[in-house]
Structures are given as structure tokens and as C-alpha cells.
Coordinates of all heavy atoms in Angstrom, one line a residue:
M1 N 0.9 -1.2 0.0 CA 0.0 0.1 -0.1 C 0.8 1.3 -0.1 O 0.6 2.2 -0.7 CB -0.9 0.0 1.3 CG -1.7 1.3 1.3 SD -2.5 1.4 3.0 CE -2.2 3.1 3.3
S2 N 1.9 1.2 0.8 CA 2.7 2.5 1.0 C 3.4 2.8 -0.3 O 3.5 3.9 -0.8 CB 3.8 2.3 2.0 OG 3.0 2.2 3.3
A3 N 3.8 1.6 -1.1 CA 4.4 2.0 -2.4 C 3.6 2.8 -3.3 O 3.9 3.7 -4.0 CB 4.8 0.8 -3.1
S4 N 2.3 2.5 -3.3 CA 1.4 3.1 -4.1 C 1.2 4.7 -3.7 O 0.8 5.4 -4.6 CB 0.1 2.5 -4.1 OG -0.7 2.5 -2.9
I5 N 1.4 4.9 -2.5 CA 1.3 6.3 -2.1 C 2.4 7.1 -2.7 O 2.2 8.2 -3.3 CB 1.4 6.5 -0.5 CG1 0.1 5.8 0.2 CG2 1.5 7.9 0.0 CD1 0.2 5.9 1.7
F6 N 3.7 6.5 -2.7 CA 4.7 7.2 -3.4 C 4.5 7.3 -4.9 O 4.9 8.2 -5.5 CB 6.1 6.4 -3.0 CG 6.2 6.7 -1.5 CD1 6.3 5.5 -0.6 CD2 6.6 7.9 -0.9 CE1 6.6 5.6 0.7 CE2 6.8 8.0 0.4 CZ 6.8 6.8 1.3
D7 N 3.9 6.2 -5.5 CA 3.7 6.3 -6.9 C 2.7 7.4 -7.2 O 2.8 8.2 -8.1 CB 3.0 5.0 -7.4 CG 4.1 3.7 -7.4 OD1 5.2 4.1 -7.3 OD2 3.5 2.7 -7.4
E8 N 1.7 7.6 -6.4 CA 0.6 8.6 -6.5 C 1.2 10.0 -6.4 O 1.0 10.8 -7.2 CB -0.5 8.4 -5.5 CG -1.7 9.2 -5.8 CD -2.8 8.8 -4.9 OE1 -3.0 7.7 -4.4 OE2 -3.8 9.7 -4.7
I9 N 2.1 10.1 -5.4 CA 2.8 11.5 -5.2 C 3.6 11.8 -6.5 O 3.6 12.9 -7.0 CB 3.7 11.4 -4.1 CG1 2.9 11.4 -2.6 CG2 4.6 12.6 -4.1 CD1 3.7 11.2 -1.5
H10 N 4.3 10.7 -7.1 CA 5.1 10.9 -8.2 C 4.3 11.3 -9.5 O 4.5 12.1 -10.3 CB 5.8 9.6 -8.5 CG 6.8 9.7 -9.7 ND1 7.9 10.5 -9.6 CD2 6.8 9.1 -11.0 CE1 8.6 10.4 -10.9 NE2 7.7 9.6 -11.7
R11 N 3.1 10.7 -9.6 CA 2.3 10.8 -10.8 C 1.3 12.1 -10.7 O 1.2 12.7 -11.7 CB 1.3 9.6 -11.0 CG 2.0 8.4 -11.7 CD 1.2 7.3 -12.0 NE 0.8 6.4 -10.8 CZ -0.2 6.4 -10.1 NH1 -1.3 7.1 -10.6 NH2 -0.4 5.6 -9.1
A12 N 0.6 12.3 -9.5 CA -0.4 13.2 -9.5 C 0.0 14.7 -9.2 O 1.0 14.8 -8.7 CB -1.4 12.9 -8.4
P13 N -0.6 15.6 -9.9 CA -0.3 17.0 -9.4 C -0.6 17.3 -8.0 O -1.5 16.7 -7.5 CB -1.2 17.8 -10.5 CG -2.3 17.0 -10.8 CD -1.8 15.5 -10.7
L14 N 0.2 18.2 -7.5 CA -0.1 18.5 -6.0 C -1.2 19.5 -5.9 O -1.3 20.4 -6.9 CB 1.2 19.0 -5.3 CG 2.3 18.0 -5.4 CD1 3.6 18.5 -4.7 CD2 1.9 16.7 -4.7
L15 N -1.9 19.7 -4.7 CA -2.9 20.6 -4.6 C -2.5 22.0 -4.5 O -3.3 22.9 -4.7 CB -3.8 20.2 -3.3 CG -4.6 18.9 -3.4 CD1 -5.4 18.7 -2.0 CD2 -5.7 19.1 -4.6
S16 N -1.3 22.2 -4.1 CA -0.8 23.6 -3.9 C 0.7 23.6 -4.1 O 1.4 22.5 -4.2 CB -1.0 24.1 -2.5 OG -0.3 23.5 -1.6
D17 N 1.3 24.9 -4.1 CA 2.8 24.9 -4.3 C 3.4 25.1 -2.9 O 4.6 25.5 -2.8 CB 3.1 26.0 -5.2 CG 2.6 27.4 -4.6 OD1 2.0 27.5 -3.5 OD2 2.8 28.4 -5.2
Q18 N 2.7 24.8 -1.8 CA 3.2 24.9 -0.5 C 4.3 23.9 0.0 O 4.8 24.0 1.0 CB 2.2 25.1 0.6 CG 1.2 26.2 0.2 CD 1.9 27.5 0.4 OE1 2.3 27.8 1.7 NE2 2.1 28.4 -0.5
V19 N 4.3 22.8 -0.9 CA 5.2 21.8 -0.5 C 5.5 21.1 -1.9 O 4.7 21.1 -2.8 CB 4.6 20.8 0.4 CG1 3.3 20.1 -0.2 CG2 5.5 19.7 1.0
D20 N 6.8 20.8 -2.1 CA 7.1 20.1 -3.4 C 7.2 18.6 -3.2 O 7.1 18.0 -2.0 CB 8.4 20.6 -3.9 CG 9.7 20.3 -3.2 OD1 9.7 19.2 -2.5 OD2 10.6 21.1 -3.3
K21 N 7.2 17.8 -4.3 CA 7.2 16.4 -4.1 C 8.2 15.8 -3.3 O 8.1 14.7 -2.7 CB 7.0 15.7 -5.6 CG 5.8 16.1 -6.2 CD 5.7 15.4 -7.6 CE 4.2 15.8 -8.1 NZ 3.9 14.9 -9.3
R22 N 9.5 16.3 -3.4 CA 10.5 15.8 -2.6 C 10.4 16.0 -1.0 O 10.5 15.0 -0.4 CB 11.9 16.5 -3.0 CG 13.1 15.9 -2.3 CD 14.4 16.7 -2.7 NE 14.2 18.2 -2.4 CZ 14.5 18.7 -1.2 NH1 14.9 17.9 -0.2 NH2 14.3 20.0 -0.9
E23 N 9.8 17.2 -0.8 CA 9.4 17.5 0.6 C 8.3 16.6 1.2 O 8.4 15.8 2.2 CB 9.0 18.9 0.8 CG 10.2 19.9 0.6 CD 9.8 21.3 0.4 OE1 8.6 21.5 0.1 OE2 10.6 22.1 0.8
L24 N 7.3 16.5 0.2 CA 6.2 15.6 0.6 C 6.5 14.1 0.7 O 6.1 13.5 1.8 CB 5.0 15.8 -0.5 CG 3.8 14.9 -0.4 CD1 3.2 15.2 0.9 CD2 2.9 15.3 -1.6
T25 N 7.4 13.6 -0.2 CA 7.8 12.3 0.0 C 8.6 12.0 1.2 O 8.4 11.0 1.9 CB 8.8 11.9 -1.3 OG1 8.0 12.0 -2.4 CG2 9.4 10.5 -1.1
S26 N 9.4 13.0 1.7 CA 10.1 12.9 2.9 C 9.2 12.8 4.1 O 9.4 12.0 5.0 CB 11.1 14.0 3.0 OG 11.8 14.0 4.1
V27 N 8.2 13.6 4.2 CA 7.2 13.7 5.3 C 6.5 12.4 5.4 O 6.4 11.7 6.5 CB 6.3 14.9 5.1 CG1 5.2 14.7 6.1 CG2 6.9 16.3 5.4
I28 N 6.0 11.8 4.3 CA 5.3 10.6 4.3 C 6.2 9.4 4.6 O 5.8 8.6 5.3 CB 4.6 10.4 2.9 CG1 3.7 11.6 2.6 CG2 4.0 9.0 2.7 CD1 2.4 11.7 3.6
R29 N 7.4 9.5 4.1 CA 8.4 8.4 4.4 C 8.6 8.4 6.0 O 8.7 7.3 6.5 CB 9.7 8.6 3.6 CG 10.6 7.4 3.8 CD 11.9 7.6 3.3 NE 11.9 8.0 1.9 CZ 12.3 9.1 1.4 NH1 13.0 10.1 2.2 NH2 12.4 9.4 0.1
E30 N 8.9 9.5 6.5 CA 9.1 9.6 8.0 C 7.8 9.2 8.8 O 8.1 8.4 9.8 CB 9.6 11.0 8.4 CG 10.9 11.4 7.9 CD 12.0 10.5 8.2 OE1 12.0 10.0 9.4 OE2 12.8 10.1 7.4
C31 N 6.8 9.6 8.4 CA 5.5 9.2 9.0 C 5.3 7.6 8.9 O 5.0 6.9 9.9 CB 4.3 9.8 8.5 SG 2.7 9.6 9.4
Q32 N 5.6 7.1 7.8 CA 5.5 5.7 7.6 C 6.5 5.0 8.4 O 6.1 3.9 9.0 CB 5.7 5.4 6.1 CG 5.7 3.9 5.7 CD 6.2 3.7 4.3 OE1 7.3 4.0 3.9 NE2 5.4 3.1 3.5
Y33 N 7.6 5.5 8.5 CA 8.7 4.8 9.4 C 8.2 4.8 10.8 O 8.3 3.8 11.5 CB 9.9 5.6 9.2 CG 11.1 5.1 10.1 CD1 11.7 3.8 9.8 CD2 11.5 5.8 11.3 CE1 12.8 3.4 10.6 CE2 12.5 5.2 12.1 CZ 13.1 4.0 11.8 OH 14.0 3.6 12.6
A34 N 7.7 5.9 11.3 CA 7.2 6.0 12.7 C 6.1 5.0 13.0 O 6.2 4.2 14.0 CB 6.8 7.5 13.0
I35 N 5.3 4.9 12.0 CA 4.1 3.9 12.2 C 4.5 2.5 12.1 O 4.4 1.7 13.0 CB 3.0 4.2 11.1 CG1 2.3 5.5 11.4 CG2 2.0 3.0 11.1 CD1 1.4 6.0 10.3
S36 N 5.4 2.3 11.2 CA 5.9 0.8 11.1 C 6.8 0.4 12.2 O 7.0 -0.8 12.5 CB 6.6 0.7 9.6 OG 7.7 1.4 9.6
S37 N 7.4 1.5 12.9 CA 8.4 1.2 14.0 C 7.5 1.0 15.2 O 8.0 0.5 16.4 CB 9.3 2.4 14.3 OG 10.0 2.5 13.2
G38 N 6.1 1.0 15.2 CA 5.3 0.6 16.4 C 5.2 1.8 17.4 O 4.8 1.6 18.5
I39 N 5.6 3.0 16.9 CA 5.3 4.2 17.8 C 3.9 4.4 18.0 O 3.2 4.6 16.9 CB 6.1 5.4 17.2 CG1 7.5 5.2 17.2 CG2 5.7 6.6 18.1 CD1 8.3 6.2 16.5
A40 N 3.5 4.4 19.2 CA 2.1 4.7 19.5 C 1.7 6.1 19.3 O 2.4 7.1 19.4 CB 1.7 4.2 20.9
G41 N 0.3 6.3 19.2 CA -0.2 7.7 19.1 C -0.8 8.1 17.9 O -0.7 7.4 16.8
D42 N -1.4 9.2 17.9 CA -2.1 9.9 16.7 C -1.2 10.7 15.9 O 0.0 10.9 16.3 CB -3.2 10.5 17.2 CG -4.4 9.8 17.9 OD1 -4.6 8.6 17.4 OD2 -5.0 10.3 18.8
V43 N -1.6 11.1 14.8 CA -0.7 11.9 13.9 C -1.4 13.3 13.8 O -2.6 13.4 13.4 CB -0.6 11.3 12.5 CG1 0.2 12.2 11.5 CG2 0.1 9.8 12.6
V44 N -0.6 14.3 14.0 CA -1.1 15.7 13.8 C -0.3 16.5 12.8 O 1.0 16.5 12.9 CB -1.0 16.4 15.3 CG1 -1.6 17.8 15.2 CG2 -1.7 15.5 16.4
E45 N -0.9 17.2 12.0 CA -0.3 18.1 11.1 C -0.7 19.5 11.5 O -1.9 19.9 11.4 CB -0.7 17.9 9.6 CG 0.1 18.8 8.6 CD -0.5 18.7 7.2 OE1 -1.4 17.9 6.9 OE2 0.1 19.3 6.2
F46 N 0.2 20.3 12.0 CA 0.0 21.7 12.3 C 0.4 22.6 11.0 O 1.4 22.6 10.6 CB 0.9 22.1 13.4 CG 0.5 21.4 14.7 CD1 1.2 20.4 15.3 CD2 -0.6 21.8 15.4 CE1 0.9 19.7 16.3 CE2 -0.9 21.3 16.6 CZ -0.1 20.2 17.1
G47 N -0.7 23.2 10.5 CA -0.6 24.0 9.3 C -0.9 23.2 8.0 O 0.0 23.1 7.2
C48 N -2.1 22.8 7.9 CA -2.4 21.8 6.8 C -2.8 22.6 5.6 O -2.8 22.0 4.5 CB -3.6 20.9 7.3 SG -5.1 21.8 7.6
Y49 N -3.1 23.9 5.7 CA -3.5 24.7 4.5 C -4.5 24.0 3.8 O -5.6 23.8 4.3 CB -2.2 24.9 3.7 CG -2.4 26.1 2.5 CD1 -3.0 27.2 2.8 CD2 -2.0 25.7 1.2 CE1 -3.3 28.1 1.8 CE2 -2.2 26.6 0.3 CZ -2.8 27.9 0.4 OH -3.0 28.8 -0.5
V50 N -4.5 23.7 2.5 CA -5.5 23.1 1.7 C -5.5 21.6 1.7 O -6.2 21.0 1.1 CB -5.6 23.6 0.2 CG1 -5.9 25.2 0.3 CG2 -4.2 23.3 -0.5
G51 N -4.4 21.0 2.4 CA -4.3 19.6 2.5 C -3.5 18.8 1.6 O -3.6 17.7 1.4
T52 N -2.5 19.5 1.0 CA -1.7 18.9 0.0 C -0.9 17.7 0.6 O -0.9 16.7 0.1 CB -0.6 20.0 -0.5 OG1 -1.3 21.1 -0.8 CG2 0.2 19.4 -1.6
T53 N -0.5 17.8 1.9 CA 0.2 16.8 2.5 C -0.8 15.8 3.2 O -0.8 14.7 3.2 CB 1.2 17.2 3.6 OG1 2.2 18.0 2.9 CG2 1.7 16.1 4.5
S54 N -1.9 16.6 3.7 CA -3.0 15.8 4.6 C -3.5 14.6 3.7 O -3.8 13.6 4.4 CB -4.1 16.7 5.0 OG -3.6 18.0 5.3
I55 N -3.8 14.9 2.4 CA -4.5 13.8 1.7 C -3.7 12.5 1.6 O -4.2 11.4 1.7 CB -4.9 14.2 0.3 CG1 -3.7 14.6 -0.5 CG2 -5.9 15.2 0.4 CD1 -4.1 14.8 -2.0
Y56 N -2.4 12.7 1.7 CA -1.4 11.5 1.7 C -1.3 11.0 3.1 O -1.1 9.7 3.3 CB -0.1 11.8 1.1 CG -0.4 12.2 -0.3 CD1 -0.3 13.4 -0.8 CD2 -0.4 11.2 -1.3 CE1 -0.5 13.8 -2.2 CE2 -0.6 11.4 -2.6 CZ -0.7 12.7 -3.0 OH -0.9 13.1 -4.4
L57 N -1.2 11.9 4.1 CA -1.2 11.3 5.4 C -2.6 10.6 5.8 O -2.4 9.4 6.4 CB -1.2 12.5 6.4 CG 0.1 13.3 6.7 CD1 -0.1 14.5 7.4 CD2 1.3 12.4 7.1
A58 N -3.6 10.9 5.3 CA -4.8 10.3 5.4 C -4.8 8.8 4.9 O -5.5 8.0 5.3 CB -6.1 11.0 4.8
K59 N -4.1 8.6 3.7 CA -3.9 7.3 3.1 C -3.0 6.4 4.1 O -3.1 5.2 4.0 CB -3.4 7.5 1.8 CG -4.2 8.1 0.8 CD -3.5 8.4 -0.5 CE -4.2 9.2 -1.4 NZ -5.3 8.5 -2.1
L60 N -2.2 7.0 4.7 CA -1.2 6.2 5.7 C -1.8 5.9 7.0 O -1.6 4.8 7.5 CB 0.1 7.1 5.7 CG 1.4 6.5 6.1 CD1 1.7 5.4 5.2 CD2 2.4 7.6 6.4
V61 N -2.5 6.9 7.6 CA -2.9 6.7 9.0 C -4.2 6.0 9.0 O -5.2 6.4 8.5 CB -3.2 8.1 9.7 CG1 -3.6 7.9 11.1 CG2 -1.8 8.9 9.6
Q62 N -4.2 4.8 9.6 CA -5.4 4.0 9.6 C -6.0 3.7 11.1 O -5.2 3.8 12.0 CB -5.0 2.6 9.0 CG -4.6 2.8 7.6 CD -4.5 1.4 6.8 OE1 -4.1 0.5 7.4 NE2 -4.6 1.5 5.5
S63 N -7.3 3.5 11.1 CA -7.8 3.3 12.5 C -7.2 2.1 13.2 O -6.8 1.2 12.5 CB -9.4 3.0 12.1 OG -10.0 2.7 13.3
P64 N -7.1 2.3 14.5 CA -7.7 3.2 15.4 C -6.8 4.4 15.5 O -7.2 5.4 16.3 CB -7.7 2.4 16.7 CG -6.5 1.6 16.6 CD -6.5 1.1 15.3
R65 N -5.7 4.5 14.9 CA -5.0 5.8 15.0 C -5.7 6.9 14.3 O -6.3 6.8 13.1 CB -3.6 5.5 14.2 CG -2.4 6.4 14.7 CD -1.1 6.3 13.8 NE -0.6 4.9 13.9 CZ 0.3 4.6 14.8 NH1 0.8 5.5 15.6 NH2 0.8 3.4 14.9
E66 N -5.6 8.1 14.8 CA -6.4 9.2 14.3 C -5.4 10.2 13.7 O -4.2 10.3 14.1 CB -7.1 9.9 15.4 CG -8.1 9.1 16.2 CD -9.4 9.0 15.4 OE1 -9.6 9.6 14.3 OE2 -10.4 8.4 16.0
L67 N -5.9 10.9 12.6 CA -5.2 12.0 12.0 C -5.9 13.4 12.4 O -7.0 13.5 12.1 CB -5.1 11.7 10.5 CG -4.5 12.9 9.7 CD1 -3.1 13.2 10.0 CD2 -4.8 12.5 8.2
Y68 N -5.1 14.3 12.9 CA -5.8 15.6 13.3 C -5.1 16.7 12.4 O -3.8 16.7 12.3 CB -5.5 15.9 14.7 CG -6.2 15.0 15.8 CD1 -5.7 13.8 16.2 CD2 -7.6 15.2 15.9 CE1 -6.3 13.1 17.1 CE2 -8.3 14.4 16.8 CZ -7.7 13.3 17.4 OH -8.3 12.4 18.2
L69 N -5.9 17.6 11.8 CA -5.3 18.6 11.0 C -5.7 20.0 11.5 O -6.9 20.2 11.8 CB -5.9 18.5 9.6 CG -5.7 17.1 8.9 CD1 -6.6 16.9 7.7 CD2 -4.3 16.7 8.7
Y70 N -4.7 20.8 11.7 CA -5.0 22.2 12.1 C -4.4 23.2 11.3 O -3.3 23.1 10.6 CB -4.5 22.4 13.6 CG -5.0 21.4 14.6 CD1 -4.4 20.3 14.9 CD2 -6.1 21.8 15.3 CE1 -5.0 19.4 16.0 CE2 -6.7 21.0 16.3 CZ -6.1 19.7 16.6 OH -6.6 18.9 17.5
D71 N -5.2 24.4 11.2 CA -4.6 25.5 10.5 C -5.3 26.8 11.1 O -6.5 26.8 11.5 CB -4.8 25.4 9.1 CG -3.8 26.4 8.3 OD1 -3.8 27.5 8.4 OD2 -2.9 25.8 7.7
S72 N -4.5 27.9 11.2 CA -5.0 29.1 11.7 C -5.8 29.8 10.5 O -6.7 30.6 10.7 CB -4.0 30.1 12.1 OG -3.0 30.5 11.0
F73 N -5.4 29.3 9.2 CA -5.9 29.9 7.9 C -5.7 31.5 7.9 O -6.4 32.2 7.4 CB -7.4 29.7 7.7 CG -7.7 28.1 7.7 CD1 -8.3 27.5 8.8 CD2 -7.2 27.5 6.6 CE1 -8.5 26.1 8.6 CE2 -7.4 26.1 6.5 CZ -8.0 25.5 7.6
D74 N -4.6 31.9 8.6 CA -4.2 33.3 8.6 C -2.8 33.5 7.9 O -2.4 34.6 7.7 CB -3.9 33.7 10.0 CG -5.1 34.2 10.8 OD1 -6.1 34.5 10.0 OD2 -5.1 34.4 11.9
G75 N -2.3 32.3 7.3 CA -1.1 32.4 6.5 C 0.1 32.4 7.5 O -0.2 32.4 8.7
L76 N 1.3 32.4 6.9 CA 2.5 32.5 7.8 C 2.7 33.8 8.4 O 2.5 34.9 7.8 CB 3.6 32.1 7.0 CG 3.7 30.6 6.5 CD1 4.9 30.3 5.5 CD2 3.8 29.8 7.7
Ligands
SAM101 C1 3.5 26.4 4.3 S1 1.8 26.3 4.7 C2 1.6 24.6 5.1 C3 1.6 23.6 3.9 C4 1.0 22.4 4.2 N1 1.6 21.6 5.3 C5 1.0 21.5 2.9 O1 1.5 20.4 3.0 O2 0.5 21.9 2.0 C6 1.7 26.9 6.3 C7 0.4 26.9 7.0 O3 0.6 27.2 8.4 C8 -0.4 27.9 8.8 N2 -0.1 28.5 10.1 C9 0.9 29.3 10.3 N3 1.1 29.7 11.6 C10 0.0 28.9 12.3 C11 -0.2 28.8 13.6 N4 0.4 29.5 14.7 N5 -1.3 28.0 14.0 C12 -1.9 27.3 13.0 N6 -1.6 27.3 11.8 C13 -0.6 28.1 11.3 C14 -0.8 28.9 7.8 O4 -2.1 29.3 7.8 C15 -0.4 28.0 6.5 O5 -1.7 27.5 6.0

């Protein structure tokens, strides 16, 4: 399943220019590593903007683990 997430990042256009594919791949790889290492807990993205990273985190984070997304929507 995870390989398909990376394939999708490679193939699909991103929702915004707030993150590039190299950065996004790195975030998802690290999150995948944390999950597969058995680290307990939920996943939180602070500053999700329009969800460019969030949609891939949502593919990775599975129940009962929760994904929380926050943004001030005030910009940087
Ligand atoms: C570079 S964008 C985030 C890009 C996003 N992570 C992505 O993958 O597309 C930074 C976001 O952080 C939010 N932000 C900045 N300071 C914040 C704060 N103190 N609390 C919550 N959100 C904040 C901004 O509104 C903005 O949407």
C-alpha cells in the first residue's frame, strides 16, 4: 500500500505549491517509518493549509490511529 502512495505522489499534480514532491515524499516516508516502527499515538499536522500533505497522511494513517489537521488559515 505504501508504495502506491509514493507512486501517486510521483504521478499526481499537487494541490498547492506549499510543498514540493521531494518534501512531501520525505514527510510521508518519515511518518510511515514512525508507524511501522510501532510508535504509538495519533498523527497531527500543524498548518495543513488546503491539505496537500494531509491527503497522503490520510492514506497512511489507519484506524484506530487518528489524524488531526489544524490551521489558523491566517497564513504565515
Ligand atoms: C506552508 S503552509 C503549510 C503547507 C501544508 N503543510 C502542505 O503540506 O501543503 C503553512 C500553513 O501554516 C499555517 N499556520 C501558520 N502559523 C500557524 C499557527 N500559529 N497555527 C496554526 N496554523 C498556522 C498557515 O495558515 C498556513 O496554511
